[in-house]
Every structure is written in structure tokens, then in C-alpha cells.
């Protein structure tokens, strides 16, 4: 190649390099001029076949051109790094990220509950949604006709188990004895799951809800432990500034029994029921109640999300309205 | 239940404000759901006395009245009430007064005469809906005073009470709690009751049923055509009951006061004596509410010789109801079995004020108190006189409950150090008899009590003893169950060496004679210390004569310890309680039927102390091993990842309707059904999530255009086993809009990759899905679910987008088998990527191509990057482009790359008749 042709290459390279906008384009241009298939590279590959003289002059020329080209590209590369001529983008306008998912508010609360209790060393245990009368009521000191059964209006299945009623569980407390029968103390578990109550639905009552049962059984477990555990949990979900208050209550399967209120945005709100596991319940699970004691509680997940997210109508949890759920 | 603050204050020594009461109740199980505040009457409603009544000259039905309201001038008022009469004290709304309904009284011209105000009826004052006449005040009401001062309106509490507290359904019971938990020392003011004699007379048929535990009847001569005193009416109405007649009102008042329902019968309409028996289908009864009741064997009824008079504990009959003409009544005050009453009330759809109270189980001493109170009030109001002496039959012994409270156990349960003196004082304030348990004192008390082979009552009532009943009684005082028989007592407790005996241990001897009788414990003694043993025996083995001798006077007595230790058949000793220190022996008062064991007392203690005094501590227990309990956290993580990758989480009802099942063609027989559903739309347990998803699609059709949502829930199938329930976790996921099926398919790859599992998809035909667009899917060779594009008929015409795809996956096996990840080393050099275009038969599934590529040598990865079927492609063919990524070591030669590319091409050409393009 003669000097003129090489000059033309240099001019073309300069022109092409100047038009690119970023390093990627520059690398492509560079490959075209100094890459394996470039004219220059081909000329260099032909060098050994030339006469000594030609080889010398041509070699000198080609190498100088290559240096010049490298110079052009490195110069342009440096320029690109200093580039400032970008057009502004309106960042107040919506972007292009269209589809994104949403977690149900109950799952958001559950995530916080799991995290709080996991950090306290609880296991998260699953239990059956269809219970026998025995585990749902009888082991919990509620024999048939016990008036306390009325606190939990019950659905019954048309199908039976050994002649006895099957129940879509009215609470997760059936897992207390189920778990203890197979897992001797110490026990520290929560049991989340759906529960069912045969009551008419309105904004503040749902016939289905997610409950989280808590159960701790061991030597020397006390009511103070119950208070401390629930305080830790409520603060984890509703914030460190929230407080709890215990009030006397009655459940057939706990003694003493308490109702737990939480103070949230300046108001005392009824949150959950709890108590020390009734010794008769422990005995039914084959546990010596003179040696072991325990506490249990049951909290409604939708009650927590109602308070925390301000969901006024509980039915919104269960009748999927996508434009509502989109907020979570 | 509604209860008026002023009704409660009647029974408190120091009355409390509404606010003080609500605060006090916060410390009890009684939950105040609402305070219904009463606004006081307008100051311009005052007490007046009617001076003159004359006919209105221009109107037949109106009267012209002058009223003294304590001003110089009498007021002239036009009044239409028929009951107005001179001398009456009435409530006068002056001109300018506002009535509770907001109406303001103006000076009015009524048929030519000016009326300066209004004389008010109960309805106008908002007390009741009675507007038949003006309200008549007591004669002693001071004239001119504001009505709101002489007759304070009361706030009403809407309360919820626990089902184990019968006493919370009575004013006295609630007041008793408030007296203890109120802001200042207070005491309960019990109504004064004059005691009466009751004869014990068996009532026919009562005993047989076992469902009536006490039955009192009182026959009285009464005047029922008088006015019920204002205070009774006020108290009834403030608590939501209407005044009916004095006898009924008094019966109701005592029910509210004591919690004891009673029923008055018109004696003239009762033939013979009252009976309590089971009903029969032949019986007919019209209850007071006018409803005709069909009876059955399950009903417990009150009857006379001829017919049924009422449903026991639920409601009386209309036939024998008292009326204004009634001259003689029979009062029934009874305790009926709680369950029986509850069942009856449910069966007849008749939860009455009475049945609600019986359902909680009334204590046996209650009817007597209530009966006496009833007679007192009836004497005051209706000039009642006893006709016969009252009859009273108790069908069960009244038992007093003893509970031992170990303070150290209470402290352990509460996690709180207790002040013993405070506990004792507090429990006594609640009416409990509390003593420090002292062995020697307890033993001393029993000395000299007679021996009885058969002690009365189950554990004995403490008046007579045999050997084992003495032991069970003494330990019963501690709330410790040791057994009723010598054999049971020998089996419980721990063995103690003779030399280590301590007061409280129990000694056992057999009967000398044969080896067999000697080995069997037959006599017990209670070691009280100082070498003395307390015993209740009728015969004693004489160590000298070696004979069993009858004792002259069999009674509880002390014997020397040697009588036992040297006895030829001495068997040993048992210890039931390790430590007798700091034990309180508690006797529960009759009204606390809810206190049955130590823990119940512990609850009373913490209520007295206040829950705010509890520390907040955490259980000192090791972490629960979580190995087998990962499913729920795994599900939550999956939900979070699905939400983060663009899917919308929903939760929907677990019960669906018959129509929902029909829509997707699922057979009813495979579904569990609800016996008592809220509606037919919620009568079956869902076995698949699809029906719920279709409903969501219907209801969100405007919103659901280009999106997808999922639910993870349990589903239930009915199976043919003893337990007919198969429960499993299901993930349902629906994609809507363009390309929905491919999006769902792409998501399945994501899922398989997340699980580290191999996904295999096998096309199938399925009635939910469009033919050729449905498949079963396997994860690591296990059937995991199915997916496809839903048929338009299922999607329906409401959906904005007709392309709707759906997948259903059983996730429990999948999550439990998640493969542990193993890291692959990073290549130290660059892999080589080449695209290959193939012309294939249109019907050839990708799975076949992928299967061959998976086995190709040195091929690191491969991916389908294009699938083209257009004009340039021959009929029945398609062109796919596959990206091949080879691992050929560092700096492979062009020839090497080409060789491997050709190898792959040849495999595909040979096995799939593919043409490389």
C-alpha cells in the first residue's frame, strides 16, 4: 500500500471514530481498521513476501500508520470518557418497567411474624385444616355441648371420621396437643394457617381468616415469658413504639387466660387471646403438668394487617380485587 | 348483655361513676364492648304538680290543665293524656325545652287556648315507647326541680362475659367484682333478705330425669293488679326488659339481681302438683311468646297432672301465665341441668333470658336465696302471703370445694415473686376462705369425728371418715388427688423409708393372716409427727394378742407410730407432697363455680396484683429444631420470589359452590361438603384452585389484561378411606394476555431452575385446555401438575383477554425435594457460542431436539432462540434457531470449533431428518 492509500485510511478512521457515541461502537470501528481482517492487518501479513527494500519501507509505513490509528482511537476513547453532550431525560415521567408483582397483605404480615419468631428460636409448623372434633374441641376442655364452643361457630363436614364429626378447624389450637403428642417438651412453635368460623360476613367479620398459633412448653415457662414474647412479637410487627397490655379473659384451654391489647397510633386495640396452657390439656398430650408448664396464643393475621395497613373491610382479603391488592 | 350503671351502683357501698366502673372492669374478664351514654334531660324539663283539670272548651279529647312548677304563676297547659288527674306529680317541658328527639317546645295556640309547655309521656322523654299517657312521678318528688336532678338517667354498659361465669349475668355478681377491683375500698351491699322455712318435699318425676338438681316451689296469695314501683320498672327498662305486671317484673328483677331465673304460674290454672318430666310427642305447648311447640323425649318440661306448663328453664306456657286477675301464684325456683336447657333452647330456637343463665350452670345454694328475696319483694309490692310452706328438694349434695395453693408454684407460673400477706388479703376480699395450711391443726380438727364405713359424698364431706377417706380429705385440702381407696393411695406418691418418715407421710399395713392378705394394703394412717399417727379405723390389730380387735368407739384418733412400724404386715409409707411450707388451704365460696384448681387461683392472684406488674421475660428454652418444619417458610419464600418476578398474590375462599364445580367439570363425589354452609356458593371444599381463579378472572376482567396471579393454598379431595380427607398444598398460577401460554411456560423453566430439578412436559388432552395446548409436567420424573391454555368456554365472555393460561402444581413434594445446590467452577477461558438454524417437521417437539442436544459432546449449554414458520419455509416445516455454547478449552482453533459444530449438526440431521440452513 502506498502512502496515499494509508493516508486515506487514517482520514477515514478519524472520521469514523469521531462519529461514534460510545466505547462499544469505537471498539467496532477499531476492529475494522486494526483488527485481524483489516486492510492494514492483511498488508502486514504480506510483508514477508516482499523484497528486503520494500519490506523495510513498507514496514516502516505500515507500522507508523498503525501507531497513528492507535493514537486516533485512544484519543477518541479519552474524549468519550469526558463526553458531556447528553440530551436530558424527563425523570418525572413514568418509566418502562411495566409488570411487577404484589404480595398479599397477609403474606407481608406473615413474613414479619416468621422473622420475629424465628429469631426467638421457634419452629414454624403446619397442621391440618380439617380437624377432628377431638383435637379441635375435646382435648381443649370443650366436650360436646360445652357452652364455650359457642364462642366459635363451627362448620361441620357431611363426611365423618370413625363416626365422629370432621370440622374445618375453627382455630389452630388443635395443633397444641397434636404437636406435643409427637414432640415432647421443650417445644417452641408457631402454627400459621387458615381457620373457619360459621358466622355471617361483614366488614369486620370474615368467616375465614389466617390465624397464627403460638405454643411454648417447658420447665418453668411463666406468664411473664408469655408477656415478654408477645411484646417482642407485637413490637416486631407494629413497630418499637407500640406497647401491649394484658387483660383477664376466659378460654377453656388456658388458665390464666388473657386478652392482649396493643397500643398503636395512640389507641388500645384488641389484638389476640392467650394464656397459660391448661394443665388438663398438657395431661391429654401425655405431659406431666407438675413438671412442665407452657403458654399459648392465637393471633389473627388479617386483624394485624387491618391495624397496620388500615384495611377497613376484612372481605377485601378474601375476594381478590386486583386493583386493591396492587397497593401491597 | 346490657347492664345499667345505676343498677350496679345499688349494690355498692360507694357508688362509682361510669368511667370508674369501666376502669375497674378492665381488670376483670368482663369486657365492656360499648358505653351507651345517656344525655341528661334538658334543664327546662321540670317536676310539676297538676292542680286543676278541666275539659278543653273547643275539643272533646283535650283537657285544660294548670300546673304548679314552683313559680309564682301556675302554667296553663293543654294536654291530651287520658290518665291526667289533679294532684299528680308530672314532668313538664317548659317553653324552650328540647326533648330527647330534638323537638323544641314552643308556646302554642291549641284550638283557641294558649298552652305554656307540655306534660310528657315516657315516649316523649325517650324512656320507652309508651305514649298512652303522661309519666306519673312519685308523690314525694320535689316540685320545681329539674327532672335531670331528681331522676338521673343512667349510662348503660354493653358487656361480654365469659361462659364459665354464671355470676356475671347478675348485678350482684358484677358488683362483687367491681367492689374488689374498683378504685377505692368498697363493699358489696347485699339486699336484705328475711330467712324462711322450707319443707323438703319430693317432686314427682324429678329424680328420674337427673336433669333437675334443685326444685323450690312457693305458693302465694298476691295482688297482681297494682302498679309496679317506679324503681323496679326503671331498673328493668334500663337493662332492656319491659315492665309486664308486678309479679313478672319482680321475677325478672330477681333474675337480673341474683342471676336466678324463676317462673310464676297462675295457681288457679295448675291442676295438682308440679312435675318435672321428659316431654313426649303427644304433648302440646303454646309458650308465652305465642308460639306452638312440638315436644319430644329430649325436652324437659314442667307439667301438672293434666298438661305441660312450660319448657324447663327456657320459657313458660301461655295457659298458666299470670294475669292482672291472678289471685294466687306458684313460684318455681329451680336449677336445671345446663346442657339440657342449652339443647332445648337451641332446638326450639328460643334463647331466653332464663335459658342463657341456666346454660352456665347455676350453683345449688342460689335458688333458696332468690326464692326468699322473691317472697320479700312480692310481700312489699303485691301484699303477698304464703299459702303453704314452701317446698324445696335438693337432688344433689351441695359440695364445698377445697383448693391447695402452693405459693412457689404460683410464683413459677407467674414468673413473679409474691407477697404472701397480699395474696391472703386479696383472696379473702374475693370471698375465698384462706388459711395457711398446717398439718397439725388439720389433724387436730379431725380428732374424734365418727368412723363410717361409707363416708358421705365422694371424698367425704369431712364429717365422718373411714381410713382412705381421711387421707383423701386431708390431701384434698391441698388440692392434691391421692385416690379414694387404700389400693389407689398405695399406688400413688413416692415410697419413703421408715427411718426417714416426715409429718404428712402415709403409712400402709396389710391384714395379717395369709401371705396374700398381708401383702395387700388394707389400712392407712396419716403420720402427724412426734411418733403419732392419725387414723380412722373400726378394728385394730393387737400386737400382743396377735388378733384383730374391734374398737369400742370407732372414731378418728391418734395411735403410736410403733403400732404401724412393728405391725407384722407393715408395707411401707408413701409421700404425696414434698413440702408443706407456704401452702394456702382455700375454701371456695359457693358462687365461684369457676374456681376448680390451683391454676384458677393463680389467675385470681395475678388479677389482684394486676397484669401490668408482670415482667416481660423470654422463655429460657433451647431453639426448636426446624429440620422437619421447613415447608411454610419455603412457601413464603416462594411467594416472595413470585411477587418479585412479576406475579400477583391473591387469597380466595376455601369453600366453593356446586356451580363452580360444574363449570370446570369436577365431580361432586370427589369433594368434601359442608353440612351447614353459609350459602350454596360455599358448600364444597375446593379440590383445585381453578374455579376460584375463574371467579377472580370474572370479577377483575377490566383490570386483568396483561398480567398474571397466583395463590398457594391447601386443597382437599374426598377419598375412600376411614379419614376421607386428602389435603395438599397447591400452587395455582394464571397468565392473561398476549403470549400468556409462552409466559407461563417460561415461568415453569424458572421454577425448575429454582428447584434445581429437571422439568419434563408431556402434551396431553384435558377438558380445561385447548387441544394441542395442554400438558402434564414432571419435576425430576415425578408428576407435579398440569398447565395449558384455557378453552374460551371456560374463560367466558367477560374476560377482556381471551388468551388465558393456567397451571396447577402440587408444591409440597416439590419443595421438600429441593436439590441442594453444587457450584460449578467458572471456566478460566471463554466458551464458544455458535447459532445453528434447522429446518424441521412442523410437529416435531422441541423436547426431542433438546434431548439430543443434552447428550451432545462438549456442548455446555443450548437454547432455543427462534422458531419461525413463515412464507419462506416449506409447507409442513419450521425453522428453529438454536444457540450452542461449547466448552472447547482455551483458544480453540477455528477447525476445532467447526468440527464440533458439525458433530451436532450431523446428530440432528440423522436423528431428526433436520436440514441445516
Amino acid at each position: 500500500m502506498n502512502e496515499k492509500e494509508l493516508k486515506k485510511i487514517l482520514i477515514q478512521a478519524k472520521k469514523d471514530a469521531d462519529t461514534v457515541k460510545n466505547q462499544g461502537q469505537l471498539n467496532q470501528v477499531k476492529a475494522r481498521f486494526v483488527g485481524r481482517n483489516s486492510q492494514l492487518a492483511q498488508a502486514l501479513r504480506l510483508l514477508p513476501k516482499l523484497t528486503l527494500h520494500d519490506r523495510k519501507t513498507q514496514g516502516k509505513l505500515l507500522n507508523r500508520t498503525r501507531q497513528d490509528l492507535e493514537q486516533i482511537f485512544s484519543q477518541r476513547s479519552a474524549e468519550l470518557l469526558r463526553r458531556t453532550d447528553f440530551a436530558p431525560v424527563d425523570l418525572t415521567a413514568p418509566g418502562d418497567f411495566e409488570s411487577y408483582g404484589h404480595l398479599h397483605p397477609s403474606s407481608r404480615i406473615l413474613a414479619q411474624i416468621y422473622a420475629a419468631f424465628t429469631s426467638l428460636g421457634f419452629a414454624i409448623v403446619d397442621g391440618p385444616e380439617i380437624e377432628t372434633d377431638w383435637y379441635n374441641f375435646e382435648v381443649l376442655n370443650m366436650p360436646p355441648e360445652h357452652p364455650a364452643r359457642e364462642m366459635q361457630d363451627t362448620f361441620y363436614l357431611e363426611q365423618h371420621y370413625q363416626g365422629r364429626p370432621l370440622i374445618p378447624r375453627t382455630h389452630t389450637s388443635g395443633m397444641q396437643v397434636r404437636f406435643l403428642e409427637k414432640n415432647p417438651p421443650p417445644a417452641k412453635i408457631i402454627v400459621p394457617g387458615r381457620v373457619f368460623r360459621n358466622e355471617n360476613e361483614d366488614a369486620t367479620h370474615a368467616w375465614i381468616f389466617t390465624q397464627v398459633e403460638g405454643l411454648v412448653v417447658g420447665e418453668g415457662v411463666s406468664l411473664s415469658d408469655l408477656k415478654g414474647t408477645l411484646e417482642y412479637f407485637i413490637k416486631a410487627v407494629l413497630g418499637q413504639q407500640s406497647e401491649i397490655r394484658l387483660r383477664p379473659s376466659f378460654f377453656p384451654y388456658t388458665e390464666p387466660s388473657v386478652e392482649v391489647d396493643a397500643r398503636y397510633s395512640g389507641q388500645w386495640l384488641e389484638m389476640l387471646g392467650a394464656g397459660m396452657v391448661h394443665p388438663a390439656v398438657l395431661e391429654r398430650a401425655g405431659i406431666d403438668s407438675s413438671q412442665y408448664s407452657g403458654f399459648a396464643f392465637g393471633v389473627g393475621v388479617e386483624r394485624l394487617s387491618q391495624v397496620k395497613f388500615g384495611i377497613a373491610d376484612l372481605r377485601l382479603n378474601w375476594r381478590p380485587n386486583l386493583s386493591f391488592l396492587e397497593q401491597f | 348483655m346490657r347492664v345499667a350503671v345505676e343498677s350496679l351502683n345499688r349494690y355498692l357501698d360507694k357508688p362509682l361513676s361510669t368511667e370508674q366502673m369501666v376502669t375497674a372492669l378492665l381488670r376483670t374478664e368482663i369486657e365492656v364492648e360499648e358505653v351507651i351514654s345517656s344525655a341528661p334531660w334538658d334543664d327546662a324539663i321540670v317536676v310539676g304538680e297538676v292542680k286543676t283539670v278541666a275539659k278543653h272548651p273547643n275539643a272533646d279529647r283535650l283537657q285544660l290543665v294548670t300546673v304548679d312548677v314552683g313559680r309564682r304563676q301556675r302554667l296553663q297547659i293543654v294536654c291530651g293524656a287520658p290518665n291526667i288527674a289533679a294532684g299528680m306529680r308530672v314532668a313538664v317541658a317548659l317553653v324552650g325545652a328540647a326533648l330527647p328527639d330534638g323537638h323544641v317546645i314552643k308556646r302554642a295556640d291549641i284550638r283557641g287556648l294558649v298552652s305554656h309547655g307540655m306534660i310528657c309521656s315516657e315516649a316523649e322523654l325517650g324512656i320507652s315507647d309508651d305514649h298512652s299517657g303522661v309519666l306519673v312521678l312519685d308523690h314525694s318528688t320535689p316540685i320545681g326541680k329539674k327532672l335531670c336532678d331528681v331522676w338521673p338517667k343512667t349510662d348503660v354498659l354493653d358487656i361480654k362475659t365469659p361462659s364459665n361465669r354464671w355470676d356475671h349475668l347478675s348485678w350482684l355478681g358484677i358488683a362483687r367484682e367491681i367492689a374488689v377491683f374498683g378504685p377505692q375500698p368498697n363493699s358489696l351491699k347485699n339486699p336484705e333478705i328475711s330467712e324462711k322455712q322450707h319443707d323438703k318435699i319430693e317432686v314427682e318425676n324429678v329424680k328420674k330425669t337427673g336433669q333437675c338438681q334443685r326444685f323450690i316451689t312457693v305458693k302465694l296469695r298476691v295482688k297482681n293488679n297494682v302498679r309496679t314501683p317506679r324503681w323496679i320498672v326503671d331498673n328493668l327498662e334500663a337493662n332492656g326488659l319491659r315492665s309486664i305486671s308486678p309479679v313478672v317484673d319482680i321475677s325478672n328483677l330477681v333474675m337480673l339481681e341474683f342471676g336466678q331465673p324463676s317462673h310464676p304460674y297462675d295457681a288457679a290454672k295448675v291442676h295438682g302438683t308440679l312435675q318435672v318430666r321428659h316431654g313426649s310427642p303427644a304433648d302440646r305447648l303454646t309458650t308465652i311468646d305465642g308460639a306452638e311447640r312440638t315436644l319430644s323425649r329430649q325436652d324437659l318440661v314442667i307439667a301438672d297432672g293434666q298438661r305441660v306448663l312450660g319448657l324447663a328453664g327456657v320459657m313458660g306456657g301461655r295457659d298458666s301465665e299470670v294475669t292482672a286477675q291472678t289471685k294466687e301464684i306458684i313460684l318455681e325456683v329451680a336449677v336445671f341441668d345446663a346442657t339440657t336447657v342449652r339443647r332445648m333452647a337451641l332446638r326450639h330456637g328460643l334463647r331466653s333470658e332464663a335459658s342463657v343463665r341456666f346454660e352456665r350452670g347455676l350453683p345449688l345454694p342460689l335458688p333458696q336465696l332468690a326464692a326468699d328475696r322473691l317472697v320479700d319483694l312480692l310481700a312489699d309490692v303485691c301484699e303477698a302471703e304464703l299459702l303453704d310452706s314452701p317446698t324445696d328438694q335438693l337432688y344433689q349434695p351441695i359440695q364445698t370445694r377445697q383448693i391447695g395453693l402452693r405459693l412457689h408454684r404460683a410464683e413459677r407460673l407467674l414468673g413473679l415473686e409474691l407477697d404472701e400477706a397480699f395474696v391472703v388479703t386479696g383472696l379473702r376480699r374475693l370471698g375465698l376462705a384462706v388459711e395457711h395450711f398446717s398439718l397439725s391443726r388439720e389433724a387436730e380438727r379431725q380428732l374424734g369425728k365418727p368412723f363410717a364405713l361409707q363416708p358421705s359424698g365422694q371424698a367425704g364431706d369431712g364429717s365422718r371418715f373411714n381410713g382412705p377417706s381421711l387421707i383423701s380429705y386431708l390431701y384434698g385440702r391441698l388440692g392434691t388427688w391421692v385416690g379414694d381407696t387404700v389400693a389407689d393411695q398405695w399406688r400413688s406418691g413416692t415410697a419413703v423409708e421408715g427411718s426417714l418418715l416426715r409429718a404428712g407421710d402415709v403409712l400402709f399395713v396389710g391384714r395379717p393372716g395369709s401371705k396374700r392378705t398381708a401383702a395387700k394394703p388394707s389400712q392407712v394412717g396419716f403420720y402427724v409427727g412426734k411418733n403419732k399417727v392419725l387414723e380412722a379405723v373400726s378394728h385394730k390389730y393387737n400386737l400382743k394378742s396377735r388378733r384383730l380387735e374391734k374398737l369400742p368407739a370407732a372414731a378418728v384418733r391418734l395411735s403410736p407410730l410403733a403400732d404401724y412400724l412393728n405391725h407384722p404386715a407393715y408395707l411401707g409409707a408413701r409421700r404425696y407432697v414434698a413440702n408443706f411450707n407456704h401452702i394456702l388451704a382455700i375454701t371456695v365460696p359457693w358462687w365461684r363455680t369457676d374456681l376448680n384448681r390451683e391454676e384458677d387461683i393463680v389467675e385470681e392472684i395475678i388479677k389482684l396484683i394486676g397484669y401490668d406488674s408482670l415482667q416481660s421475660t423470654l422463655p429460657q428454652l433451647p431453639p426448636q429444631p426446624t429440620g422437619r418444619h421447613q415447608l411454610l417458610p419455603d412457601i413464603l419464600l416462594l411467594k416472595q420470589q413470585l411477587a418479585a418476578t412479576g406475579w400477583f398474590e391473591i387469597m380466595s375462599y376455601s369453600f366453593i359452590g356446586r356451580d363452580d364445580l360444574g363449570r370446570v367439570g369436577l365431580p361432586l363425589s370427589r369433594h368434601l361438603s359442608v353440612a351447614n354452609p353459609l350459602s350454596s356458593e360455599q358448600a364444597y371444599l375446593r379440590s383445585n384452585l381453578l374455579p376460584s381463579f375463574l371467579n377472580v378472572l370474572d370479577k377483575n376482567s377490566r383490570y386483568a389484561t396483561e398480567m398474571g396471579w397466583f395463590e398457594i393454598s391447601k386443597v382437599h379431595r374426598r377419598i375412600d378411606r376411614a379419614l376421607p380427607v386428602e389435603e395438599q398444598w397447591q400452587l395455582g398460577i394464571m397468565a392473561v394476555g398476549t403470549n400468556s401460554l409462552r409466559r407461563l411456560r417460561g415461568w415453569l423453566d424458572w421454577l425448575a431452575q429454582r428447584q434445581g430439578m429437571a422439568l419434563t412436559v408431556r402434551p396431553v388432552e384435558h377438558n380445561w385446555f385447548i387441544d394441542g395446548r395442554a400438558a402434564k409436567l414432571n419435576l425430576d420424573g415425578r408428576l407435579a401438575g398440569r398447565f395449558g391454555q384455557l378453552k374460551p368456554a371456560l374463560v367466558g365472555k367477560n374476560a377482556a383477554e381471551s388468551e388465558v393460561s393456567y397451571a396447577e402444581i402440587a408444591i409440597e413434594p416439590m419443595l421438600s425435594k429441593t436439590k441442594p445446590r453444587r457450584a460449578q467452577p467458572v471456566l478460566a477461558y471463554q466458551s464458544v457460542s455458535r447459532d445453528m438454524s434447522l429446518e424441521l417437521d412442523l410437529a416435531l417437539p422441541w423436547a426431542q431436539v433438546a434431548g439430543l442436544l443434552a447428550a451432545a459432546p462438549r456442548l455446555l449449554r443450548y437454547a432455543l432462540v427462534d422458531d419461525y414458520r413463515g412464507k419462506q419455509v416449506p409447507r409442513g416445516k419450521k425453522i428453529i434457531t438454536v444457540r450452542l455454547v461449547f466448552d472447547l478449552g482455551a483458544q480453540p482453533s477455528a477447525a476445532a470449533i467447526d468440527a464440533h459444530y458439525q458433530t451436532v449438526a450431523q446428530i440432528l440431521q440423522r436423528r431428526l431428518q433436520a436440514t441445516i440452513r
Side-chain angles (χ1 to χ4, degrees), chain A residues 99-104 106-107 110-111 114 120-130 145-148 150-151 154-162 166 168-169 179 183 186-189 192 194 196-201 207-208 210 216-229 231-232 245-250 255-259 270 276 278-280 289-291 293 295 302 315 317-323 325-326, chain B residues 26-31 160 162-164 339 342-343 346 351 359-360 406 409 411-416 597 599-603 606-607 611-626 628-633 636 639-640 642-655 671-678 682 685-686 696 699-700 703-704 706-707 709-714 716 718 722-725 727 729 812:
Chain A
S99 150
Y100 50 91
H102 304 275
L103 210 52
H104 192 280
S106 295
S107 293
L110 274 177
Y114 287 9
L120 291 179
F122 282 60
I124 301 161
V125 177
D126 190 23
E129 278 181 10
I130 305 301
E145 305 291 340
H146 192 282
E150 223 155 272
M151 291 157 77
T154 309
F155 287 113
Y156 290 93
L157 294 191
E158 286 182 315
Q159 293 72 32
H160 290 77
Y161 174 57
Q162 294 177 344
L166 282 170
R169 63 179 169 191
F179 185 82
N183 305 270
K188 284 208 292 192
I189 58 166
R194 292 183 180 202
F196 309 88
R197 303 274 172 94
N198 190 355
E199 53 180 65
N200 283 316
E201 201 170 47
W207 62 264
I208 179 171
T210 317
V216 173
V217 178
E219 281 184 74
V221 173
S222 73
L223 194 62
S224 302
D225 292 338
L226 167 66
K227 190 179 179 185
T229 304
E231 195 170 276
Y232 179 88
R245 152 179 106 177
L246 271 47
R247 280 186 291 119
S249 187
F250 170 68
E255 188 72 36
S257 302
V258 291
E259 200 72 53
E270 199 175 308
M276 300 300 291
H278 197 284
S289 67
S290 63
Q291 188 187 353
S293 56
F295 64 77
E302 286 78 33
R315 290 169 294 196
N317 289 302
W318 299 98
R319 300 178 180 180
N321 179 323
L322 299 178
S323 55
L325 292 172
E326 194 186 45
Chain B
L26 268 181
R27 297 183 56 194
T28 73
E29 290 93 337
I30 300 171
E31 213 172 304
K160 209 165 88 185
S163 61
N164 66 336
T339 306
R342 184 182 134 84
R343 279 192 198 145
L346 285 175
R351 299 291 296 282
E359 281 179 27
R360 292 196 175 176
R406 293 162 286 179
R409 179 160 162 83
E411 289 184 330
R412 250 168 87 86
L413 273 179
L414 295 174
L416 188 69
R597 46 194 299 171
E599 289 76 12
D600 298 331
I601 306 295
V602 172
E603 179 168 59
I606 188 59
K607 274 160 65 184
Y611 285 88
D612 293 344
S613 305
L614 283 177
Q615 299 233 305
S616 294
T617 55
L618 291 174
Q620 298 303 305
L621 298 177
Q624 181 79 35
T626 56
R628 289 186 298 116
H629 308 295
Q630 268 308 310
L631 180 64
L632 294 179
L636 181 67
K639 284 181 178 181
Q640 288 170 322
L642 287 175
T645 48
W647 301 89
F648 219 123
E649 189 195 4
I650 62 160
M651 277 170 28
S652 58
Y653 293 133
S654 299
F655 300 173
H671 291 80
L672 296 161
S673 49
V674 182
N676 54 339
L678 281 168
Q682 289 148 0
L685 273 67
R686 57 183 178 182
V696 174
K699 303 220 166 78
N700 291 273
Y703 188 94
E706 289 283 332
M707 64 175 317
W709 62 87
F710 72 97
E711 176 168 7
I712 297 179
S713 164
K714 282 188 173 170
H716 298 89
R718 180 176 169 188
L723 180 65
V725 183
E727 189 171 281
W729 282 97
E812 188 170 352

Side-chain angles (χ1 to χ4, degrees), chain B residues 821-839:
Chain B
R821 273 169 207 281
R822 300 285 307 163
Q824 296 295 323
V826 176
L827 292 185
Y829 42 85
Q830 280 206 331
S831 53
V832 177
S833 168
R834 290 283 181 278
D835 286 359
M836 178 186 288
S837 287
L838 302 156
E839 188 184 292

Side-chain angles (χ1 to χ4, degrees), chain B residues 73-292:
Chain B
Q73 285 224 314
R74 289 180 186 170
L75 296 181
Q76 172 182 286
I77 293 174
V78 175
C79 172
N83 68 333
I84 195 103
M88 263 182 188
R89 301 263 161 110
V90 291
V92 180
L94 304 173
V95 170
L99 296 178
D101 67 1
H103 187 81
V104 177
I105 304 296
K106 299 191 187 94
R107 180 179 293 110
D109 186 312
I110 300 170
R111 302 243 175 159
L113 287 171
V114 176
S115 183
H116 299 270
M118 184 175 84
I119 302 176
C120 303
S121 69
E122 289 191 6
E124 284 149 352
L125 289 170
I127 302 168
S128 72
D129 47 14
D130 179 7
H131 49 75
S132 61
V134 299
L135 168 73
V136 182
L137 298 172
D138 197 81
H139 278 295
S140 58
T141 320
I143 295 169
K145 284 268 188 180
K146 295 172 194 164
L147 185 67
C148 61
D149 289 344
V150 298
W151 189 5
K153 281 212 278 184
T154 171
D155 289 346
V156 174
L157 308 178
D158 189 3
I159 58 172
K160 209 165 88 185
T161 62
S163 61
N164 66 336
R165 295 298 295 265
W166 72 272
D167 56 328
H168 285 170
L169 295 181
S170 75
W171 293 333
L172 276 164
I174 300 169
R176 195 181 283 123
E177 296 274 305
I178 293 174
V180 175
F181 293 105
Q184 66 217 31
N186 208 333
S187 52
L188 190 67
K189 253 185 1 194
N190 271 304
E192 271 176 40
I193 301 176
S194 55
E195 243 181 73
K196 288 153 200 82
Q197 277 299 314
H198 294 256
D199 287 349
K200 297 208 168 199
I201 293 176
E202 292 263 347
V203 180
E204 223 180 306
N205 286 329
V206 169
K207 208 166 191 173
K208 273 187 277 180
T209 68
Q211 289 163 347
C212 174
Q213 289 135 16
R214 189 170 193 175
F215 199 77
I216 295 179
T217 62
V218 189
K219 197 167 182 188
L220 297 154
R221 176 178 297 123
V222 294
K223 282 186 180 166
N224 200 26
N225 55 355
V226 293
R227 258 187 100 89
T228 307
R230 192 70 241 167
W231 72 269
I232 294 181
V233 177
D234 288 349
N235 276 290
L236 291 178
E237 285 176 348
N239 293 276
L241 293 185
R242 265 184 328 122
S243 167
I244 291 160
S245 74
V247 169
V248 174
D249 291 351
I250 287 168
S251 169
N252 282 336
L253 183 88
V254 173
M255 175 179 74
L256 296 178
E257 202 173 42
F258 283 85
Q260 169 71 59
S262 58
H263 188 76
Y265 300 89
D266 187 331
K269 297 169 191 163
V270 176
H271 309 279
T273 52
L274 292 183
Q275 306 176 359
V276 184
R277 61 167 170 86
H278 289 296
S280 91
D283 290 325
R284 286 285 167 274
L285 174 69
T286 305
T287 38
I288 289 175
D289 59 2
E292 266 208 54

